[in-house]
Amino acid sequence: MGAQAEAEERQHGAAVVAEGFGLKGPRGWAFREVSFRAGPGALVAIEGPSGSGRTCLLLALTGRMKPKEGTAEVGGLPLPRKMAAVRRISALGHVPGVSELDPAFTVAEHLGERALLQRRFDGSVRSLLRLPSERRAAARARIDEAVAAAGLDLAALPKGERTSVRDLERLEALRLSIALALVGRPRLLGVDDADMKLSDADRAEAWALLRSLAASGTTVVAVCSEAPEGEDVLRITTVATDPVADPTETTAKTTAEAGAEPPEAAPADGPADDSRAPAARRAGGSTKDRAADGPGDGTRDATERGTEDRTEDATDDTTEEGTADALAETGRA
């Protein structure tokens, strides 16, 4: 009964609450004063041009970057104090410079590796004692579940599961990256550049996929150039303008396009009020950011699992500094 209750809990999305949330890196503020409330199963779209702090906000909300001011909670876990715990309940799909597909790998190799890592880091002692055939069957079932949820038709690929990533269309690669993230059954899914290099038809399919994931209970935070219309989408818009005093800095203003007053922050010692979930998708706030011409912080997603056995403070510092290097190399924020 306890295992069943745990499984049901993991299927529910994580409420996300931010109040005066801000992140500052070596090159200045990536974003500041972000305030919004999203209930479990919400679809949050962070829209705006590249360099306006979109990716940094996504990584901070998923526990991959350490904020400098304000408060935030993900599934009742406060940031930055519980960054490692937030990483355990969240997963990243496509994020350039942080979690990327290897073009030389096949689809099957990516899925198999992800299932192996999931069993290695999240498997219980009892699961490790199963017969090899049982473990393989369980891994295959989890992969099939994730692939189906991501809408990836393996049979329609040029070489089926043996298709290399370099031979995938942009939408198929997006679906694969989301499927890899869903193998861990996260409560919060983060996706960067959800609509980049997509035709109008493919963009509509991508948003239909993200909407279906949110409708199934997973909270989705997606970075995009333009958010779709609809009351089911909480829009947070980042706008970068040319600075006047210092050409090396960018001023960004972020607004949750909802037409409601900024909500009150959730209590620091408890989870967000899930009873306010319907209003969460309409509630919004505003931010006023100072960001440099490059991004703030960044990390390789490999730190998500490998460093969780260390202390929280040590993990958070490593995450913040590592992410700065990764994002700076790609010139993204």
Side-chain angles (χ1 to χ4, degrees):
M1 188 69 176
Q4 180 180 358
E6 182 180 354
E8 292 176 352
E9 173 64 21
R10 292 190 58 170
Q11 292 175 1
H12 289 78
V16 182
V17 179
E19 183 69 25
F21 201 47
L23 183 148
K24 184 177 182 181
R27 301 186 182 185
W29 286 99
F31 60 86
R32 299 189 73 181
E33 300 176 13
V34 175
S35 298
F36 71 93
R37 179 186 295 268
L43 174 56
V44 182
I46 305 175
E47 64 176 358
S50 178
S52 59
R54 306 172 306 168
T55 303
C56 290
L57 178 56
L58 172 69
L59 293 174
L61 291 174
T62 54
R64 273 75 176 178
M65 294 179 72
K66 189 175 182 179
K68 293 297 184 182
E69 68 176 11
T71 61
E73 284 189 359
V74 178
L77 300 169
L79 292 170
R81 188 161 58 88
K82 294 292 184 179
M83 288 179 63
V86 170
R87 289 196 294 273
R88 283 194 291 270
I89 67 169
S90 63
L92 293 177
H94 174 71
V95 180
V98 180
S99 58
E100 295 182 305
L101 300 175
D102 189 323
F105 273 31
T106 66
V107 172
E109 288 171 338
H110 268 296
L111 292 170
E113 179 186 55
R114 185 65 183 89
L116 181 64
L117 290 173
Q118 183 68 32
R119 187 180 68 192
R120 167 65 179 83
F121 292 108
D122 288 345
S124 64
V125 176
R126 178 176 297 178
S127 66
L128 296 176
L129 296 177
R130 292 177 180 174
L131 294 175
S133 58
E134 294 179 351
R135 293 200 299 267
R136 286 193 295 270
R140 186 71 248 181
R142 180 168 286 209
I143 289 174
D144 292 342
E145 174 188 324
V147 167
L152 181 62
D153 187 356
L154 298 178
L157 300 179
K159 297 181 181 179
E161 289 188 348
R162 295 183 293 107
T163 303
S164 298
V165 168
R166 64 168 60 94
D167 296 327
L168 295 177
E169 298 293 337
R170 163 63 184 167
L171 181 59
E172 293 171 338
L174 178 64
R175 290 185 185 277
L176 174 58
S177 67
I178 291 176
L180 294 175
L182 293 178
V183 168
R185 296 171 181 164
R187 298 176 60 193
L188 173 66
L189 171 67
V191 182
D192 197 13
D193 289 336
D195 58 355
M196 187 178 71
K197 298 181 181 179
L198 292 180
S199 64
D200 291 342
D202 286 348
R203 184 178 295 110
E205 285 194 43
W207 284 112
L209 167 61
L210 297 179
R211 278 188 163 103
S212 69
L213 294 175
S216 67
T218 303
T219 304
V220 179
V221 179
V223 169
C224 57
S225 58
E226 183 179 359
E229 298 295 334
E231 295 183 356
D232 60 334
V233 180
L234 172 60
R235 302 173 63 187
I236 300 177
T237 305
T238 60
V239 181
T241 59
D242 293 332
V244 177
D246 188 350
T248 65
E249 293 189 350
T250 302
T251 301
K253 184 177 181 181
T254 307
T255 305
E257 306 260 345
E261 295 297 326
E264 296 181 0
D269 57 350
D273 185 359
D274 292 349
S275 64
R276 300 183 58 178
R281 303 177 191 178
R282 302 189 299 274
S286 64
T287 72
K288 188 173 184 181
D289 309 344
R290 297 292 297 176
D293 57 348
D297 307 58
T299 190
R300 298 295 301 176
D301 201 34
T303 61
E304 176 183 359
R305 300 296 182 189
T307 60
E308 287 179 358
D309 292 336
R310 304 176 187 175
T311 61
E312 289 265 346
D313 293 339
T315 301
D316 296 347
D317 292 341
T318 302
T319 300
E320 178 185 8
E321 294 170 2
T323 310
D325 295 338
L327 286 181
E329 289 175 0
T330 59
R332 302 187 54 79

